[in-house]
Amino acid sequence: MIIVMQTGATEAQINGVVGEIHKAGLREHLSRGAELTIIGAIGDEDKLDAAHLEILPGVARVNRITKPYKIVSRDTHPDGSIIRVRGIPIGGEQIQVIGGPCSVETEEQMELAAQGVADAGCRLMRGGAFKPRTSPYAFQGLGVQGLEYFQHAARKHNFPIVTELMDVRMLDTFMEYDVDVIQIGARNMQNFDLLKEVGRVNKPIILKRGLSATISEWLMSAEYIAAGGNHNIIFCERGIRTFETAYRNVLDVTAIPVLKRETHLPVIVDPSHAGGKAWMVPALAQAAVAAGADGLLIEMHPNPCEAWCDADQALTPEELKKLMKTLGAIAQAVGRSL
């Protein structure tokens, strides 16, 4: 249920509505726009009397939300949200590119990767210290040592770091090492215990779409995080599994405008995992920006031929730099900046 306040509603009137929500045993989600304030009632809405709320001072109207996802819905927050990562906005007019290798391998590799990310003009860096792999015999990441290498290299350029959390038992370690953005991978999109735990921390979360997940399932996974109190959620489309075998995954560009309509949260795209081949990445990245994506997650390795995992899809530093110029032109054409 959402309660739309009248233009110019006072703090006392807003607090009066919030008080009624609390009396019914529900929680509130407050969204303040330039003119309107919208209050979302989170919980069992049957305990609230819509007719009673409508006659409260300052209330313009009361609407019941029929969608199962409440907090992440654009109905409760008409304006798009901007998630700030150490001051860097994700969402809004500026498009962010998060560059870096698939996995953290060595200290030297991360130093070179960080320099390549900086030279390309990216403002955030990605890298995997813990890697979910299809084969149990494949490289699984360096773990905590990888976090140390990553932080050391990224901090030299003042990059916020983005890395994947696979196990809820490692969350305290991520907090200790001050990971800036926690990524929930495709295979964990419906790991609800993990989603509940990251919902309790004050860190931006990148939620990747599951390999065969519908938009509705993806939104409901985000709702798990938001219901825990953490509303700093970024959706990441990374391709879905279909019958096609010519490429790794099908990049669902259609998901971008659909999500933009359904949710107020930012939407980014991972073209590297979608195509699975470096030569596909530029075209997919360009399509994503043209379709309205708020950012990109792009794999770049100092020497892709020597990468320990996903070598085929990693760009070289020069390729990333060249791509950034093209993306800048497309961003400008759609009224945004890179």
Side-chain angles (χ1 to χ4, degrees):
M1 181 181 293
I2 60 173
I3 301 96
V4 181
M5 303 301 292
Q6 297 171 356
T7 302
T10 66
E11 283 299 316
Q13 291 170 337
I14 293 170
N15 291 336
V17 174
V18 170
E20 292 296 320
I21 293 172
H22 289 173
K23 284 180 187 178
L26 283 73
R27 294 179 292 113
E28 84 284 358
H29 172 58
L30 206 60
S31 175
R32 297 178 186 270
E35 296 182 359
L36 292 179
T37 295
I38 298 175
I39 306 171
I42 311 301
D44 185 359
E45 297 174 2
D46 290 336
K47 295 179 180 179
L48 280 175
D49 184 351
H52 172 65
L53 292 173
E54 283 180 336
I55 63 173
L56 292 177
V59 173
R61 63 183 182 276
V62 177
N63 297 328
R64 286 190 178 275
I65 301 176
T66 57
K67 295 171 183 174
Y69 41 92
K70 315 289 187 184
I71 303 173
V72 305
S73 172
R74 190 171 282 276
D75 291 345
T76 61
H77 196 297
D79 297 327
S81 290
I82 297 176
I83 309 300
R84 296 193 179 275
V85 183
R86 282 209 270 135
I88 299 171
I90 299 180
E93 294 183 2
Q94 195 173 78
I95 298 168
Q96 302 297 343
V97 176
I98 307 168
C102 174
S103 65
V104 179
E105 300 165 2
T106 66
E107 194 167 10
E108 180 185 12
Q109 170 243 8
M110 291 306 291
E111 297 280 351
L112 292 171
Q115 187 61 57
V117 171
D119 291 344
C122 303
R123 300 180 67 188
L124 300 95
M125 187 173 177
R126 59 151 295 154
F130 300 86
K131 298 298 299 178
R133 305 300 300 279
T134 302
S135 169
Y137 308 112
F139 175 59
Q140 306 287 318
L142 297 179
V144 173
Q145 186 181 47
L147 287 179
E148 293 175 354
Y149 290 164
F150 193 2
Q151 283 284 26
H152 186 261
R155 292 297 183 248
K156 288 185 177 180
H157 301 274
N158 199 31
F159 287 140
I161 68 169
V162 178
T163 194
E164 182 172 350
L165 175 67
M166 293 172 52
D167 190 331
V168 69
R169 292 171 295 181
M170 293 304 298
L171 181 56
D172 288 342
T173 301
F174 272 49
M175 300 301 288
E176 178 186 343
Y177 279 85
D178 196 24
V179 170
D180 297 288
V181 181
I182 297 173
Q183 176 181 302
I184 301 298
R187 293 170 179 82
N188 272 319
M189 190 205 82
Q190 289 185 308
N191 183 340
F192 299 121
D193 287 337
L194 182 59
L195 300 180
K196 289 176 184 177
E197 288 302 314
V198 297
R200 296 189 178 103
V201 301
N202 186 28
K203 292 281 185 180
I205 308 296
I206 288 179
L207 180 63
K208 283 198 166 186
R209 184 181 184 180
L211 278 69
S212 301
T214 64
I215 297 288
S216 180
E217 289 168 340
W218 193 9
L219 286 160
M220 287 306 298
S221 289
E223 189 76 8
Y224 263 92
I225 300 172
N230 186 355
H231 301 167
N232 297 310
I233 305 164
I234 302 159
F235 288 92
C236 182
E237 164 62 38
R238 45 82 69 202
I240 53 175
R241 179 174 291 169
T242 70
F243 56 83
E244 185 54 71
T245 58
Y247 34 82
R248 185 171 181 176
N249 295 293
V250 175
L251 179 63
D252 186 6
V253 178
T254 313
I256 302 169
V258 171
L259 280 175
K260 287 287 188 176
R261 182 184 177 88
E262 292 295 314
T263 180
H264 57 90
L265 296 166
V267 181
I268 67 173
V269 169
D270 179 350
S272 302
H273 278 90
K277 298 291 182 182
W279 63 266
M280 294 186 191
V281 172
L284 298 181
Q286 291 162 28
V289 171
D294 296 303
L296 298 165
L297 199 63
I298 296 180
E299 288 189 11
M300 181 277 293
H301 192 283
N303 188 348
C305 294
E306 297 179 1
W308 294 3
C309 71
D310 287 347
D312 288 351
Q313 65 196 40
L315 302 183
T316 66
E318 283 303 314
E319 287 172 336
L320 178 60
K321 188 187 298 185
K322 180 180 178 181
L323 175 58
M324 288 290 284
K325 292 180 180 178
T326 306
L327 294 176
I330 296 173
Q332 187 174 15
V334 296
R336 303 176 78 181
S337 63
L338 192 66

